[in-house]
Amino acid sequence: MAADVDEFRHEVRAFIAAHGHPMRGEGLRVPRDADEERAIRAWLAALYGAGYLGGGWPTRWGGRPDHHPLLDLVVMEELILGDAYRPLDQVMLASHAVLTYGTEAQKADLLPKIRSGEHVWCQLFSEPDAGSDLASLRTRAEPDGDGWRVTGQKIWSTDAQWADRGTLLARTDGTVDRHAGITAFVIPMDLPGIEVRPMREITGHEEFCEVFLDEVRVGPEHVLGELHGGWGVVTAGLASERAFVGANAIQLERMFADLVALARAVRLPDGTAAITHQDVQATLADALVRVEEVTLIVRDTVERILDDDEHPSDGPVAKLAYSELNVALTETALELLASAASVDDEAAALAARWHHNFLWGRALTISGGASEIMRGLVGRQLLGLPRA
Ligand SMILES: Cc1cc2nc3c(=O)[nH]c(=O)nc-3n(C[C@H](O)[C@H](O)[C@H](O)COP(=O)(O)OP(=O)(O)OC[C@H]3O[C@@H](n4cnc5c(N)ncnc54)[C@H](O)[C@@H]3O)c2cc1C
């Protein structure tokens, strides 16, 4: 397998170098105009077409007959290393949900449009008062003829401003256990009654949206999975997010390389490069040790996922370790910049990236499960602590 994986890696790397749609500086992903949107959709289609995305799908829906999950990780790593536009988590999570829960008609309709880049998806789960405790969501779907009318508000919906489809969670039965009364729907984002309002983040960019639903009419063809079975769709989706954990090791190694580059580029008031100073070298050494520790944790987790030998706490441990170290590295970079007397062009470009990372890094300690929630899971699942 190792030789095959190496060969595959070279192939993907060459493909990205030849065709890759670059990430907009600072890793931003929401297109600025119609041309950029077309280019991103074409890039997603190219990745699916080459078998670099969706390789693990059943072959009748376009998967590779010789697929191994390790190859997904290689693709993700190469996209990071090549600074290429990364496929939307939402698209990949959505395809997992459709493949697992969709009817044949839904699969036939939706999967080819994911592959062709025609459909970008968003996830309409979180609400202003239902994030970590998602089961308390209040968006309701009231029966209306053979379908429902959906009313409520969603928030933090990444990419909703340009998504074509959304996976929506709504309460269809308020009389039963809160997990049991939720249904998942796949909805076109241009249905009457949907209003999408982008939100400006601390980074100055708009990647999330608020989504308001006012008596949005949905039919039985929009239900994903069993009626009232939406909680299963959520948990399956979260499990599939594990696929993204592995790429974090490369991300950390890249960040460390950027930190060293910054230390070389920054000039202190005496005119010397920061990297020549003992305290900066000590800081870099500490950072390297932490990066090594966390990449080991991440790679160990990946191995267990691939061997189907995963412990429930593996994902939370890796997520917690990665997202918290990510924040710590951005803080180190900003301290380094604070000591700078002057920056050349290279340092200025690095500084802009680190400023963005600093502001964005906290988001990663929230998305996919906030650090406090992860700590609770690790405490209970790994240490066997009682629920506080
Ligand atoms: C980058 C990013 C992308 C996102 N994309 C989407 C998306 O596309 N679609 C979507 O639906 N949602 C999305 N979200 C929302 C995300 O799922 C929620 O932000 C997350 O579930 C936390 O919910 P919350 O923001 O309501 O915070 P809360 O749940 O209100 O938490 C606030 C604080 O309280 C802490 N807290 C809460 N409960 C406990 C507890 N039991 N014990 C200890 N501490 C606790 C939390 O850790 C946190 O620090 C995204 C978020 C981010 C940051």
Side-chain angles (χ1 to χ4, degrees), residues 90 123-128 130-133 155-158 208 360 363 366-368 370-373:
Q90 281 74 6
Q123 210 174 50
L124 305 169
F125 288 5
S126 305
E127 299 184 3
S132 303
D133 185 16
I155 195 165
W156 314 125
S157 316
T158 309
F208 305 119
W360 181 249
I366 300 169
S367 62
S371 288
E372 291 78 3
I373 303 296

Side-chain angles (χ1 to χ4, degrees), residues 188-382:
M189 288 301 287
D190 57 0
L191 286 179
I194 298 182
E195 189 192 343
V196 179
R197 292 189 205 155
M199 300 164 77
R200 170 105 9 124
E201 293 127 34
I202 194 172
T203 55
H205 302 292
E206 294 172 352
E207 304 220 346
F208 305 119
C209 301
E210 292 177 294
V211 178
F212 296 85
L213 302 118
D214 184 14
E215 304 233 328
V216 177
R217 160 84 200 172
V218 296
E221 72 279 14
H222 294 126
V223 172
L224 184 63
E226 298 281 320
L227 186 62
H228 313 312
W231 197 250
V233 177
V234 176
T235 33
L238 292 180
S240 82
E241 280 192 58
R242 295 175 317 179
F244 303 112
V245 168
N248 292 341
I250 285 278
Q251 190 83 44
L252 286 174
E253 285 171 359
R254 242 202 111 171
M255 282 179 89
F256 181 73
D258 273 357
L259 194 60
V260 174
L262 185 70
R264 281 189 205 289
V266 157
R267 299 267 148 202
L268 299 185
D270 64 3
T272 57
I275 200 158
T276 60
H277 289 250
Q278 201 179 358
D279 54 341
V280 173
Q281 291 176 0
T283 301
L284 290 176
D286 279 341
L288 178 62
V289 170
R290 292 195 63 194
V291 167
E292 293 283 320
E293 280 168 1
V294 175
T295 50
L296 275 180
I297 291 174
V298 170
R299 295 212 158 104
D300 221 37
T301 300
V302 172
E303 233 162 77
R304 281 205 291 273
I305 290 174
L306 292 175
D307 290 347
D308 256 339
D309 183 26
E310 194 189 354
H311 186 271
S313 64
D314 284 345
V317 168
K319 157 86 180 27
L320 189 58
Y322 164 72
S323 57
E324 293 294 332
L325 179 54
N326 178 55
V327 169
L329 290 177
T330 66
E331 285 169 355
T332 304
L334 258 65
E335 276 163 24
L336 206 54
L337 279 166
S339 66
S342 65
V343 286
D344 58 15
D345 285 351
E346 190 199 345
L350 284 167
R353 201 143 94 200
W354 279 110
H355 282 136
H356 178 271
N357 288 346
F358 175 76
L359 295 175
W360 181 249
R362 276 153 187 78
L364 303 181
T365 66
I366 300 169
S367 62
S371 288
E372 291 78 3
I373 303 296
M374 295 295 116
R375 288 190 187 101
L377 288 174
V378 172
R380 287 193 296 281
Q381 293 175 341
L382 190 63

Side-chain angles (χ1 to χ4, degrees), residues 27 29 116 302 348 383:
R29 50 198 253 162
S116 66
V302 172
L383 302 176

Side-chain angles (χ1 to χ4, degrees), residues 34-56:
D35 282 347
E36 200 163 73
E37 181 173 335
R38 256 192 304 279
I40 294 173
R41 289 178 188 268
W43 173 231
L44 293 175
L47 286 170
Y48 277 106
Y52 299 152
L53 289 184

